[in-house]
């Protein structure tokens, strides 16, 4: 049978291990505020979503208008527009 002191120490050990496991996440946000992690993740998700959307629009334009030289030059479809043979 476990003694009450051992049970109490075991409970504190679990809390300390949980807090220590969260430290790298809190350090990544640059603060010890755990709610700052939510805003950081939301900002990164919004940025990634916008990047995927813009990339998809760019690919559609480049594929549907392959002969539009201005679009090809502006969107990076033609890497060497002035050196065509």
């Amino acid at each position: 049978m476990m003694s009450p002191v051992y049970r109490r120490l075991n409970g504190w050990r679990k809390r300390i291990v949980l807090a220590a496991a969260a430290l790298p996440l809190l350090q990544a946000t640059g603060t010890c505020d755990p709610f700052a992690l939510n805003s950081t993740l939301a900002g990164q998700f919004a940025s990634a979503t916008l990047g995927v959307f813009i990339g998809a629009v760019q690919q559609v334009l480049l594929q549907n208008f392959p002969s539009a030289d201005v679009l090809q030059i502006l969107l990076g479809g033609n890497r060497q527009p002035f050196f065509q043979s």
Side-chain angles (χ1 to χ4, degrees):
M1 185 147 272
M2 280 196 250
S3 70
V5 174
Y6 181 74
R7 285 185 185 179
R8 212 174 319 136
L9 288 175
N10 196 20
W12 277 105
R13 183 184 57 87
K14 288 181 181 180
R15 290 183 190 128
I16 290 172
V17 167
L18 183 63
L23 285 177
L25 290 174
L26 297 175
Q27 187 179 13
T29 62
T31 181
C32 288
D33 181 15
F35 298 109
L37 184 61
N38 292 338
S39 63
T40 301
L41 291 177
Q44 289 177 351
F45 179 74
S47 175
T49 304
L50 182 63
V52 168
F53 176 74
I54 290 175
V57 169
Q58 183 179 11
Q59 284 297 94
V60 167
L61 287 174
L62 289 174
Q63 289 174 359
N64 288 337
F65 302 105
S67 62
D69 291 333
V70 174
L71 279 178
Q72 294 289 329
I73 292 168
L74 290 176
L75 298 178
N78 188 359
R79 299 285 183 204
Q80 297 174 341
F82 303 111
F83 302 108
Q84 293 179 358
S85 54

